[in-house]
Amino acid sequence: MSMKYDVTVLGPVMTNCYIVYDTETMEAMVIDPSWSCETIAANLQRLGVTLKRIVLTHGHADHIGALQDLRQQYQVPVYVGAGDKDLITNSRNNMSLFVGKEIVCDSPDYIAEDGDIIAVGKLQFKVITTPGHTPGGICLYGSRTLFSGDTLFRYSVGRTDLYGGAWETLLQSINDKLMVLPDSTLVLPGHGPATTIGEERTGNPYLDGDGGW
């Protein structure tokens, strides 16, 4: 049993869409289905995996562009943090009105609470609630890997000037929930390259309590 992941950069703001799967069962989840259902479906077929669930790290437009089409095509459940439940159904608050593609999705099937376990085949991922970038942002942690959404990037952090953002809340989420993970933890963010918790602990300029955007 081992985890593998496939990442495709999609949409106008270069969002990382992840397909995460168990190599033993070949069951998969999609994290943040951005923009192109056709591309994601082709990747699922290329990998030879069976999609079982869709997980949203948060409800912004660039992370949910393919959500409605993908869930209808594969008839799989959708998970989102409680604070973003209504974000995916509101095109103004999820910012889709401002990126040229109005996105209104049905309500999620499940609310992902802090400490919940989301299984993919025999793999297990713990839900870590990390509000700040949005009210209901979450990260997923398992197999020594953190899918951090737009909470934590390589040498940066999520912006907080959009609907529901809160700078102090974001810093608290990162310091209290993510910086306690092992330094060797691989961090796979919603945009940009991978990093590790150790790299961010020592090199991220936003984690000293100053700055922000």
Side-chain angles (χ1 to χ4, degrees):
M1 176 184 66
S2 65
M3 183 200 81
K4 284 193 175 181
Y5 71 90
D6 184 84
V7 58
T8 304
V9 180
L10 297 171
V13 291
M14 308 290 283
T15 304
N16 292 331
C17 173
Y18 296 97
I19 298 173
V20 183
Y21 60 100
D22 174 6
T23 57
E24 184 175 329
T25 65
M26 298 304 283
E27 293 183 353
M29 66 176 170
V30 167
I31 300 176
D32 293 344
S34 171
W35 222 253
S36 174
C37 179
E38 294 80 7
T39 300
I40 297 169
N43 287 339
L44 290 165
Q45 183 175 12
R46 170 177 57 82
L47 294 168
V49 297
T50 301
L51 182 61
K52 291 295 185 179
R53 63 197 84 255
I54 299 168
V55 181
L56 309 176
T57 62
H58 62 291
H60 280 157
D62 56 313
H63 292 254
I64 64 171
L67 172 58
Q68 195 70 359
D69 290 341
L70 197 67
R71 75 193 303 189
Q72 289 176 353
Q73 180 172 336
Y74 289 92
Q75 296 295 302
V76 295
V78 174
Y79 297 71
V80 71
D84 283 14
K85 176 182 177 181
D86 297 327
L87 206 62
I88 67 173
T89 66
N90 187 311
S91 61
R92 179 173 295 277
N93 292 347
N94 67 34
M95 305 304 294
S96 61
L97 283 181
F98 305 98
V99 296
K101 178 181 178 181
E102 185 174 6
I103 301 168
V104 177
C105 301
D106 293 338
S107 296
D109 299 285
Y110 295 103
I111 298 301
E113 303 282 1
D114 195 58
D116 283 354
I117 299 297
I118 297 178
V120 182
K122 297 181 179 180
L123 303 173
Q124 293 190 334
F125 295 88
K126 181 181 178 181
V127 174
I128 303 174
T129 54
T130 52
H133 178 62
T134 64
I138 65 170
C139 299
L140 294 181
Y141 176 65
S143 298
R144 300 180 297 279
T145 302
L146 179 77
F147 294 90
S148 64
D150 286 6
T151 296
L152 180 65
F153 303 118
R154 179 172 171 80
Y155 300 145
S156 190
V157 298
R159 62 191 297 171
T160 58
D161 60 337
L162 303 177
Y163 174 84
W167 174 246
E168 294 298 333
T169 302
L170 178 70
L171 282 185
Q172 184 174 4
S173 292
I174 295 171
N175 286 318
D176 293 354
K177 299 285 192 70
L178 303 187
M179 289 299 110
V180 298
L181 298 174
D183 282 351
S184 60
T185 302
L186 176 66
V187 178
L188 299 175
H191 304 272
T195 183
T196 67
I197 289 294
E199 287 181 85
E200 300 314 302
R201 191 189 314 281
T202 59
N204 192 314
Y206 294 94
L207 299 186
D208 61 3
D210 298 324
W213 59 291

